[in-house]
């Protein structure tokens, strides 16, 4: 959808909602176009619920957090406004002429409880309606997300919260009206709530709020924040290793949704005239989820659209055939999940796919994901055309070398290194370099146990600066586990990992380790499939990665220059706008490498970079790694491809059964009897097998 | 040459043995409880001469003769007259003059015949046998008369009550004897002491003896002789007579105060003894309630532990499965009442359990085939879809059955075991605890020792590999889910014994069931047991501590909040799934 189209639609809808409908309502009752108060009021109610739906749309659709307790925040907002309105009717208008609300008089409560007192002020009530849910959400979110609770557990926890809140609000001792709730309002800010003009005004305010909050959410989610949310949804752990702490972002979006729900409650109550505990519990929270599911999770408009549709349907059905409503609602739940996962918003695309699929059914079978559909329609170029001509290969090798050097220099060369860098010069082993100075990374006596199985056993290992080190070893030797320990994925039961002589990496969390300069390329490519190639890099590149910094930098256009160079080098220059999920395996490997480079780390941990690559690509990778090592960064490579190792290595470390077996140049290592035994088995055993 | 092999899912010998053992033990459990605790029928015969003359005296129109007859009956203390006296009290003792002109004193019983007519049965006052039957609507033929026997004076009423109470001390029904003794004790009339003593010498039931001793000692506290009073106080302390507690306290605090010092000391000693016993009793009571609630939570959570813990399917319709089980029990009970003779009414429970198992299992199977199977691995979607299904089921139940129905437990389950005075442990709850234990054992054995269990575990741990080996994962999935749902049905059947059955029953238990499974640690049966017991005990301990009308609700609330906080600190639960597999991240 082009921006112009979007603006036109937005404008039309705004004018409809803000100008046309209220005008129609303001007409005299007898005229043919008169919009009855009842319908305007109903629409106002729907619009306020739409705000709540939008909040969940951002929370669930973008960040992937399913909260089954939104109604709690709605209730907090609604009760805040309700309390204020109740206090407005005390005095002459109340039935008993007392200073306390009627229901308190019935319950023999003579004095206003202390927490009611501030609600005399409208400003306080409004502020409380929005910020009380926000504060509560921040607290709850902190406790929940800090423990890395994900997915279903969050849903269950929020559902328990809704249940508990419902139980609590039903009690009379809470002094909040008990099961009957708060109702019978008369005035708001001096305007009578029963007059049509006030209701019209409330409607307009609600519509304005909806449009403003829609704009706000749009702005927030179009920028980098939106990318981060979606990255949290698609690969939270991967995001950690890029240096982001998801906790803060999740708290932010959770609080945002809560605040919107609270606002919705505050707008809802004066228009509907009552707030009860039945609007707080488990069922109402689930209805919000249905709105978003039916409306569509993928677009921001889905939540509000679903809210209006479902509530409209419900109003209609509960007057015509009330017993049918739960059946319809239940069927909607099941239907949306099974048949229309993208909701109303996604219907056109789904229809398109269906037509496409039934047309080409003889070509291919099975379902298609949105990604493969994009693949079918997008450009399909193979950047790395395999060349079988040996001469071409040789000639381009020098080009590659130059290219690699250029990229490495751009990224890493501009950094100022402190003195005392310990380079393992050619021919030197780490030991000799050690004697010169302090290593960049030291792994000391690290032991990792998985339920008794020792993946790493008293491992001692160190790495000097500007070194390109290779680590090899048979399967199960603990190579990947060692990387896991270094970058914080796994915690050892004993040992130390010292980075740059000062920092103990074991005390830090994954994103902190990433932010101090340790980058990792994983064994299996874990790119973000629903982000474009460029977006993947934007998420990786070196910048401040806190919530605050991201909000501040929301509008700033990040410099793409360095990133484009990287992409050119890895061969994805033409694919900046391609979704990463569509790339081939090899292309994904390159993207991973590119993401690693974008982080500009001081220590690169590369796990099996050339798995699945062609010969030319292997050369490219090797040259790149060498160039990086030359430019003041340190590279640790795990590999199985012995040719590759032999060609590019300087020092090689061999791991076996969790500890260091031997270290040295490839020549020495290859002839070491211990290494031979480990890889090939003992001589006697070989002869035994022959017999 | 290709060798086709497929792994067939057959219940091995162990599984069949287990099924048979489970059913037998359920049957034996029920029957055994019934045999021990059911009450026998009541008959009474009188071999005394002059029996009918006493009855004539009762029916006399002269108040003096009535009172004399009553007092005589009180003196001879023959329980054969108990039905007649009770009838006199109830207003069903009548004089009947039949066609032959002879007058007889009989007891009447009003019936409603199957065709809707009201009839009156005329019964022998001693044997209860039917002497005749009349139509209520018809007028009596000429010469016949049916007149109610009433008490002609106020004093007559008083005497009758005393006589009745005296006789009731010897009533065949245990409960009647007990309550009579307590009433006499509280009434404060010392003249009944000899009757009480006599009853004590003939009494065999432990608790009635206790009640009688309590009553007689309570009365003796009013004796003029301080020694007697002291002995009475000491004895009350010894037998832990709780019903006398307020009386004892009043003697020390209100007028008229106990004058003698020694007696006061004895009274204080008795009070202390009784109060410490009371707190001991409440501990036992709370422990039992905690275990009972824990066993209920466990049964509810067991099915969920299988579908969610083992299969990873979030089934929000689990509560509705329970509801289906409860309604199955209801329907069966209605059917038994309608079509079978009263002697078989109580046996419905034996059919209800297997029936609930089968019916709910079938519903679960259907659910799996139509909805769940398309959503494996997508937990949030399963949550939503099953919630939709639950709404569907709930509304269907509401439509068909209406909003409130209730299942009556079998008569032999209605009371309880009484290990201590005043502490009744209801049989229904004991039954549920037993059921929970049997279910736990059954599930454990099924999954760890049988071939079927092995297949299930294989499929849930590594679906692709299992399929490669030749196991039909589709079938295993369906049956596992059906089994989990069937267990929910059993839970519903059990719940129906202790609370009302309505369409909302599912919603009120679903959140708690999930809490039990999640707190226990997903995937471990031991976790579910421990968390159910812990939550149950906590709940019951908190209730009296919080006190007041909202005790139960606030207790539940508090537990919920505690669980939320616990899960935030330790999200994997009490017994987390360990190992490398657990660490493979997103």
């Amino acid at each position: 959808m082009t921006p112009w189209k979007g603006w036109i639609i937005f404008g039309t809808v705004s004018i409809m909602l803000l100008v046309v409908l209220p005008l129609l309502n303001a007409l005299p009752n007898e005229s043919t176009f008169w919009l009855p108060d009842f319908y305007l009021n109903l629409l106002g109610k729907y619009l306020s619920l739409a705000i709540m739906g939008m909040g969940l749309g951002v929370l669930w659709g973008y960040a992937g957090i399913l909260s089954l307790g939104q109604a709690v925040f709605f209730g907090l907002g609604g009760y805040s406004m309700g309390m204020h309105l109740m206090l407005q009717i005390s005095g002459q208008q109340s039935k008993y002429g007392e200073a306390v609300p009627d229901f308190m008089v019935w319950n023999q409560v003579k004095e206003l409880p202390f927490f009611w007192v501030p609600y005399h002020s409208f400003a306080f009530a409004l502020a409380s309606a929005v910020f009380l849910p926000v504060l509560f959400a921040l607290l709850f979110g902190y406790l929940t997300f800090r423990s890395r609770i994900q997915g279903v557990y969050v849903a269950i926890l929020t559902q328990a919260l809704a249940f508990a809140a419902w139980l609590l609000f039903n009690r009379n001792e809470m002094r909040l009206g008990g099961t009957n709730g708060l109702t019978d309002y008369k005035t708001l800010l001096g305007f009578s709530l029963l007059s049509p003009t006030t209701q019209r005004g409330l409607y307009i305010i609600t519509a304005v709020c909806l449009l403003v909050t829609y704009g706000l959410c749009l702005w927030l989610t179009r920028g980098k924040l939106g990318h981060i949310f979606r990255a949290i949804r698609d690969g939270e752990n991967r995001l950690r290793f890029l240096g982001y702490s998801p906790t803060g972002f999740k708290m932010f979006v959770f609080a945002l949704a809560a605040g919107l729900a609270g606002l919705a409650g505050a707008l809802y109550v004066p228009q509907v005239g009552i707030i009860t505990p039945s609007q707080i519990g488990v069922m109402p929270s689930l209805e919000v989820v249905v709105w978003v599911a039916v409306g569509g999770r993928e677009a921001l408009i889905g939540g509000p659209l679903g809210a209006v549709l479902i509530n409209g349907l419900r109003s209609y059905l509960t007057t015509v055939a009330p017993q049918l409503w739960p059946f319809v609602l239940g069927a909607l739940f099941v239907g949306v999940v099974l048949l229309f996962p993208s909701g109303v918003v996604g219907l056109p695309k789904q229809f398109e796919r269906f037509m496409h699929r039934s047309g080409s059914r003889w070509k291919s079978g099975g379902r298609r994901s949105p990604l493969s559909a994009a693949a079918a329609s997008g450009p399909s170029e193979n950047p790395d055309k395999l060349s079988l001509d040996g001469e071409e290969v040789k000639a381009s090798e020098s080009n590659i070398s130059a290219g690699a050097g250029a990229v490495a220099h751009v990224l890493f060369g501009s950094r100022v290194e402190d003195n005392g860098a310990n380079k393992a010069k050619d021919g030197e082993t780490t030991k000799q370099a050690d004697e010169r100075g302090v290593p960049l990374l030291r792994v000391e006596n690290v032991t990792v146990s998985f339920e008794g199985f020792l993946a790493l056993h008293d491992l001692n290992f160190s790495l000097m600066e500007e070194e390109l080190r290779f680590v090899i070893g048979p399967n199960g030797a603990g190579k990947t586990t060692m990387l896991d320990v270094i970058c914080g994925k796994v915690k050892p039961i004993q040992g130390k990992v010292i980075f740059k002589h000062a920092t103990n990496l074991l005390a830090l969390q994954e994103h902190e380790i990433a932010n101090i300069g340790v980058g990792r390329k994983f064994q299996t490519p874990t790119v973000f499939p629903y982000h474009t190639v460029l977006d993947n890099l934007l998420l990786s590149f070196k910048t401040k990665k806190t919530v605050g910094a991201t909000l501040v930098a929301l509008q700033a256009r990040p410099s793409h220059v360095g990133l484009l160079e990287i992409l050119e080098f890895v061969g994805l220059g033409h694919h900046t706008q391609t979704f990463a999920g569509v790339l081939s395996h090899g292309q994904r490997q390159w993207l991973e490498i590119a993401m690693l480079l974008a982080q500009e780390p001081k220590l690169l941990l590369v796990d099996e970079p050339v798995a699945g690559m062609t010969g030319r690509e292997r050369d490219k990778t090797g040259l790149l790694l060498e160039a990086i090592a030359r430019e003041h960064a340190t590279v640790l490579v795990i590999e199985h491809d012995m040719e590759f190792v032999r060609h590019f290595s300087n020092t090689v470390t061999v791991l076996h059964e969790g500890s260091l077996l031997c270290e040295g140049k490839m020549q020495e290592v290859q002839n070491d009897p211990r290494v031979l035994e480990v890889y090939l088995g003992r001589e006697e055993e070989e002869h035994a097998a022959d017999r | 040459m290709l060798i086709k092999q497929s792994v067939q899912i057959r219940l091995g010998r162990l599984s069949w043995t287990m099924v048979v053992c489970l059913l037998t033990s359920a049957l034996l459990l029920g029957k055994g409880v019934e045999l021990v605790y059911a009450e026998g029928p009541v008959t009474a015969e009188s071999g005394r001469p002059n029996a009918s003359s006493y009855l004539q005296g009762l029916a006399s129109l002269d108040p003096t003769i009535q009172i004399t007859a009553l007092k005589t009956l009180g003196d001879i203390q023959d329980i054969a007259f108990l039905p007649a006296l009770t009838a006199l009290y109830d207003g069903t003792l009548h004089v009947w003059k039949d066609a032959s002109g002879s007058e007889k004193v009989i007891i009447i019983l009003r019936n409603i015949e199957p065709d809707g007519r009201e009839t009156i049965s005329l019964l022998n006052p001693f044997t209860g046998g039917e002497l005749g039957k009349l139509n209520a609507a018809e007028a009596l033929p000429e010469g016949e008369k049916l007149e109610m026997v009433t008490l002609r004076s106020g004093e007559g009423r008083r005497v009758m009550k005393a006589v009745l109470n005296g006789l009731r001390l010897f009533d065949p029904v245990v409960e009647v004897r007990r309550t009579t003794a307590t009433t006499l004790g509280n009434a404060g009339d010392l003249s009944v002491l000899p009757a009480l003593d006599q009853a004590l010498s003939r009494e065999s039931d432990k608790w009635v003896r206790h009640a009688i001793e309590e009553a007689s000692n309570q009365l003796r506290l009013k004796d003029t002789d301080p020694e007697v009073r002291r002995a009475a106080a000491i004895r009350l302390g010894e037998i832990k007579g709780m019903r006398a507690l307020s009386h004892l306290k009043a003697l020390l605090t209100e007028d008229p105060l106990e004058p003698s010092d020694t007696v006061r000391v004895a009274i204080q000693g008795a009070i202390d003894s009784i109060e410490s016993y009371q707190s001991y009793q409440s501990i036992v009571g709370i422990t039992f309630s905690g275990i009972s609630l824990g066993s209920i939570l466990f049964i509810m959570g067991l099915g969920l532990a299988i579908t969610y813990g083992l299969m990873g399917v979030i089934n929000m319709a689990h509560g509705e499965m329970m509801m289906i089980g409860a309604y199955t029990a209801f329907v069966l009970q209605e059917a038994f009442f309608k079509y079978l003779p009263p002697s078989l009414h109580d046996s419905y429970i034996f059919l209800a359990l297997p029936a609930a198992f089968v019916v709910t299992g079938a519903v679960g199977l259907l659910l799996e085939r139509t909805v769940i199977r398309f959503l494996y691995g997508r937990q949030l979607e399963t949550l939503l879809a099953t919630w939709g299904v639950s709404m569907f089921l709930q509304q269907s139940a509401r439509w068909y059955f209406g909003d409130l129905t209730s299942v009556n437990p079998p008569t032999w389950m209605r009371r309880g075991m009484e290990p201590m005075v005043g502490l009744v442990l209801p049989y229904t709850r004991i039954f549920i605890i037993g059921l929970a234990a049997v279910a736990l054992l059954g599930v454990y054995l099924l999954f760890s020792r049988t071939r079927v269990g092995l297949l299930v575990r294989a499929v849930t741990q590594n679906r692709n590999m299992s399929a490669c080996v030749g196991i039909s994962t589709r079938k295993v999935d369906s049956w596992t889910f059906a089994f989990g749902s069937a267990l929910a049905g059993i839970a519903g059947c059990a719940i129906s014994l202790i609370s009302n059955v309505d369409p909302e029953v599912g919603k009120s238990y679903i959140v708690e069931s999930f809490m039990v499974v999640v707190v226990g640690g997903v995937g471990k049966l031991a976790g579910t047991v421990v968390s159910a017991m812990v939550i149950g005990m906590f709940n019951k301990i908190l209730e009296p501590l919080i006190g007041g009308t909202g005790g139960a609700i606030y207790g539940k609330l508090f537990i919920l909040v505690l669980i939320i906080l616990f899960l935030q600190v330790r999200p994997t639960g009490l017994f987390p799934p360990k190992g490398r597999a657990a660490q493979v991240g997103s």
Side-chain angles (χ1 to χ4, degrees), chain A residues 539-567:
Chain A
L539 280 173
S540 323
F541 92 91
K542 189 179 168 99
T543 174
K544 261 199 130 208
K545 287 166 175 168
T546 58
V547 183
T550 317
L551 279 173
V552 163
L554 213 50
Q555 277 308 96
R557 294 265 143 240
S559 111
H560 287 191
V561 176
L563 301 179
L564 289 175
E565 280 206 21
I566 300 176
L567 285 178

Side-chain angles (χ1 to χ4, degrees), chain A residues 66 140 143-144 147 149 152-153 159 163-164 168 171 173 237 283 286 289 297 323 326-327 330 333-334 451, chain B residues 314 316 379-381 384-385 387-388 391 395-396 399 515 518 522 550 554 557 560 567-568 571 578 585-586:
Chain A
L66 179 62
F140 188 81
L143 289 173
T144 310
S147 322
I149 299 180
V152 165
Y153 279 93
Q159 189 174 61
F163 189 56
L168 194 63
R171 303 296 304 172
E173 294 92 22
N237 278 332
M283 252 338 271
L286 271 161
V289 176
R297 263 183 278 168
Q323 295 113 320
F327 284 119
F333 263 108
V334 179
E451 266 198 327
Chain B
I314 301 270
M316 280 287 158
Q379 286 186 320
L380 293 179
E381 272 85 347
L384 292 179
W387 194 272
M391 274 193 281
Q395 187 65 2
S396 315
W399 203 328
M515 290 292 113
V518 172
V522 167
Y554 281 118
L557 204 58
L560 263 176
L567 282 177
Q568 285 174 334
K578 287 180 281 185
S586 97

Side-chain angles (χ1 to χ4, degrees), chain A residues 269-288:
Chain A
V269 161
Q271 295 188 67
V272 172
I274 182 170
I275 180 90
T276 62
S278 65
Q279 284 153 333
I280 289 192
V282 174
M283 252 338 271
S285 305
L286 271 161
E287 284 192 26
V288 185

